């Protein structure tokens, strides 16, 4: 069987991104992409988007996470203080659906951490986020929003363990599901309101680049503005897990 690459998901007009934080070739120390990441402890100023859509994430100065290891695997380490990255605006407004798959490990459950968020706050609608954790609890939260936001909470998923976390939403259906390590753990058919997704930046590691710092590791990330087929989803989750080692 031909090996899977995330770019295979982006064959039409889809928008999104694919990040591999285990591969030095995808990472640079500076936001311009000119200084290579070569060793553990190097700061990460740019993550190259492997989807073909050019939605790179950047950071500068003290906000840069560092390239580290978790469970013997390379990963970006966010310090839970001031580390965060951001993309340019990603126009997902042609669709009301999204699939998000993240490989991660929390370093702490002591405070709310915004692993990722589309726009400055999901409460502003037409977006989504993953909090790890939400409040000082051993949980992970996926929130989906049209004009109404609905949060799904999975517990207990404590710090110190690696997870592949998947969130999917379709505003018009409405469907809202959360998967961890290849299995569905939460779902909801509560209304998400109306409308499509927005044209917003993606924040990684902090809400709006200023609040709710995430403490932990990110190994891989896929975001695409459609619901993946069961076969696509299985392959994409396995690709993320091959970088994460969660299951």
């Amino acid at each position: 069987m031909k090996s899977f690459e995330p770019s295979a998901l982006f064959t039409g007009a889809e928008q999104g991104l694919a990040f591999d934080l285990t591969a030095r070739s995808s990472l640079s120390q500076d936001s311009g992409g000119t200084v290579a990441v070569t060793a553990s402890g190097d700061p990460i100023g740019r993550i190259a988007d492997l989807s073909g859509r050019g939605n790179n994430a950047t950071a500068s100065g003290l906000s840069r996470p560092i390239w580290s290891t978790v469970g013997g695997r390379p990963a970006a380490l966010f310090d839970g203080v001031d580390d965060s990255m951001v993309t340019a605006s990603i126009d997902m407004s042609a669709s009301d659906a999204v699939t998000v798959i993240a490989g991660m490990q929390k370093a702490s459950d002591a405070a709310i951490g915004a692993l990722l968020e589309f726009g400055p706050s999901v409460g502003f609608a037409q977006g989504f986020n993953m909090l790890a954790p939400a409040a000082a609890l051993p949980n992970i939260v996926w929130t989906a929003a049209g004009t109404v936001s609905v949060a799904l909470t999975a517990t207990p998923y404590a710090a110190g363990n690696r997870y592949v976390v998947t969130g999917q939403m379709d505003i018009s259906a409405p469907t809202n599901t959360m998967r961890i390590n290849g299995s569905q753990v939460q779902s909801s058919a509560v209304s998400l309101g109306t409308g499509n997704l927005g044209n917003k930046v993606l924040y990684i590691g902090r809400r709006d680049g200023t609040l709710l710092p995430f403490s932990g590791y990110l190994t891989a990330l896929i975001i695409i503005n459609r619901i993946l087929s069961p076969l696509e989803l299985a392959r994409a989750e396995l690709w993320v897990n091959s970088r994460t080692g969660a299951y």
Side-chain angles (χ1 to χ4, degrees), residues 6 14 43 58 66 158 161 166 184 197 204 208 222 235 245:
E14 299 97 341
T58 59
I66 64 169
N161 300 297
T166 300
Q184 183 171 302
L197 294 169
I204 303 171
D208 201 20
I222 296 174
R235 288 178 173 174

Side-chain angles (χ1 to χ4, degrees), residues 122-131 140-153 167-171 174-178 186-194:
V122 74
F124 292 125
Q126 273 67 50
F128 52 85
N129 74 13
M130 283 184 183
L131 301 181
I140 302 171
V141 174
W142 159 256
T143 301
T147 52
V148 176
S149 63
V150 177
L152 302 179
T153 300
Q168 292 185 294
M169 75 163 175
D170 185 322
I171 295 170
T175 58
N176 185 18
T177 61
M178 185 180 183
Q186 292 287 353
S187 66
S188 172
V190 173
S191 175
L192 296 167
T194 59

Side-chain angles (χ1 to χ4, degrees), residues 73-91:
R73 297 168 185 261
L77 171 59
F78 292 79
D79 66 4
V81 178
D82 56 8
D83 290 355
S84 63
M85 304 191 77
V86 65
T87 68
S89 292
I90 304 174
D91 188 358

Side-chain angles (χ1 to χ4, degrees), residues 106 139 244:
K106 296 180 288 179
N139 62 22
T244 309

Side-chain angles (χ1 to χ4, degrees), residues 110-230:
I112 300 173
L115 175 61
L116 60 87
E117 191 159 56
F118 188 53
S121 171
V122 74
F124 292 125
Q126 273 67 50
F128 52 85
N129 74 13
M130 283 184 183
L131 301 181
L137 295 169
N139 62 22
I140 302 171
V141 174
W142 159 256
T143 301
T147 52
V148 176
S149 63
V150 177
L152 302 179
T153 300
T155 189
Y157 291 94
N161 300 297
R162 283 163 280 161
Y163 304 109
V164 173
V165 185
T166 300
Q168 292 185 294
M169 75 163 175
D170 185 322
I171 295 170
S172 59
T175 58
N176 185 18
T177 61
M178 185 180 183
R179 297 165 55 89
I180 295 182
N181 295 348
S183 298
Q184 183 171 302
V185 295
Q186 292 287 353
S187 66
S188 172
V190 173
S191 175
L192 296 167
T194 59
N196 286 357
L197 294 169
N199 181 5
K200 306 180 182 183
V201 303
L202 178 77
Y203 293 101
I204 303 171
R206 284 194 294 180
R207 170 171 285 175
D208 201 20
T210 59
L211 302 170
L212 309 183
F214 169 68
S215 176
Y217 303 85
L218 181 64
T219 59
L221 177 63
I222 296 174
I223 299 176
I224 186 168
N225 63 338
R226 63 181 176 90
I227 299 293
L228 299 183
S229 72

